[in-house]
Amino acid sequence: DIQMTQSPASLSASLGETVTIECLASEDIYSNLAWYQQKPGKSPQLLIYDASSLQDGVPSRFSGSESGTQYSLEINSLQSEDAATYFCQQHHDYPPTFGGGTKLELK
Amino acid sequence: EVQLVESGGGLVQPGRSLKLSCAASGFTYSNYVMAWVRQAPTKGLEWVASISTGGGNTYYRDSVKGRFTISRDNAKNTLYLQIDSLRSEDTATYYCAKAVDQSIYNNPLFDYWGQGVMVTVSS
């Protein structure tokens, strides 16, 4: 199985700041990387797929990038509604595997 | 609007069985691969199983093979997960998820998720 190592496990940031969350794949996943946002008590929402493609309806302050097997989610101009847990997922092969999650807290 | 509504969860004793259902609406259900993904309390996400559009092909994670059975009824727009020989480690919220693709063979990416149904395995 492809292992997804996500970091950091948690972070705290202020409104208006920019944060970056990273995910390292254990092998080449050919840009088949998705990011999800999950708010407490809610189901995951797809934000980004294919490493950098924005899902319909997702604000443009969310962006994704890659460098080799390292993938990043950047959130610009943090808003209060961005407080959530973020997960990466490789969608290259079965079984699809997720990172451990990053809990983003707003100061 | 895509809607996925799970049901059938609850408190179950170890070794017993349970069948989860997911009612789908707002899209052409028979055209899409469907899946179950679970999340243990305060833990991360774990893919469980996927099923092809016609139901003839299924994939499972290793730890549930032989105990879980995913199925679908395209006439009723409903997805199922039969869980047998329940174990404490199966305690989780189970999400029904719609795949982006129409082929089960590639791109296991999920664009819509249900609200989840809780399964608690305890004596």
Side-chain angles (χ1 to χ4, degrees):
Chain A
D1 297 0
I2 298 172
Q3 306 301 314
M4 304 302 298
T5 304
Q6 188 172 341
S7 62
S10 64
L11 75 159
S12 181
S14 300
L15 294 176
E17 285 190 3
T18 295
V19 297
T20 300
I21 298 168
E22 296 185 331
C23 225
L24 178 66
S26 61
E27 60 185 80
D28 197 343
I29 56 172
Y30 302 93
S31 303
N32 295 148
L33 191 283
W35 291 98
Y36 297 89
Q37 177 192 67
Q38 185 178 33
K39 295 184 178 181
K42 301 294 185 181
S43 58
Q45 301 292 310
L46 178 63
L47 298 176
I48 286 171
Y49 60 95
D50 291 345
S52 59
S53 296
L54 208 60
Q55 176 70 348
D56 290 346
V58 175
S60 59
R61 64 178 182 275
F62 291 90
S63 63
S65 62
E66 63 181 288
S67 176
T69 58
Q70 179 92 10
Y71 295 83
S72 300
L73 171 69
E74 183 174 280
I75 312 172
N76 294 310
S77 304
L78 276 172
Q79 307 292 307
S80 58
E81 60 265 30
D82 298 335
T85 299
Y86 295 83
F87 293 94
C88 63
Q89 179 225 324
Q90 63 83 12
H91 56 95
H92 173 64
D93 197 10
Y94 281 92
T97 46
F98 296 84
T102 296
K103 186 174 183 178
L104 172 60
E105 174 192 89
L106 278 295
K107 293 178 184 174
Chain B
E1 179 193 6
V2 172
Q3 285 199 317
L4 300 168
V5 181
E6 301 95 335
S7 61
L11 174 62
V12 188
Q13 292 180 329
R16 302 297 290 265
S17 297
L18 199 64
K19 188 170 187 176
L20 308 180
S21 299
C22 170
S25 61
F27 65 104
T28 306
Y29 174 75
S30 59
N31 283 358
Y32 291 92
V33 172
M34 297 295 293
W36 289 96
V37 179
R38 67 185 179 184
Q39 185 171 33
T42 71
K43 299 295 185 182
L45 298 164
E46 183 176 80
W47 169 81
V48 173
S50 290
I51 188 167
S52 61
T53 54
N57 290 291
T58 55
Y59 289 161
Y60 297 93
R61 69 179 300 102
D62 287 346
S63 62
V64 308
K65 284 179 182 176
R67 296 192 302 120
F68 287 26
T69 303
I70 187 172
S71 62
R72 65 191 296 163
D73 185 333
N74 286 345
K76 295 182 177 180
N77 285 2
T78 304
L79 178 72
Y80 303 100
L81 185 68
Q82 175 71 40
I83 309 175
D84 297 324
S85 304
L86 276 156
R87 305 170 180 170
S88 57
E89 56 263 36
D90 296 322
T91 293
T93 295
Y94 285 73
Y95 294 102
C96 163
K98 170 189 170 293
V100 167
D101 273 0
Q102 299 182 349
S103 169
I104 196 174
Y105 298 111
N106 53 268
N107 200 30
L109 172 66
F110 312 113
D111 57 355
Y112 291 95
W113 301 56
Q115 85 288 351
V117 62
M118 185 69 199
V119 173
T120 302
V121 183
S122 175
S123 55

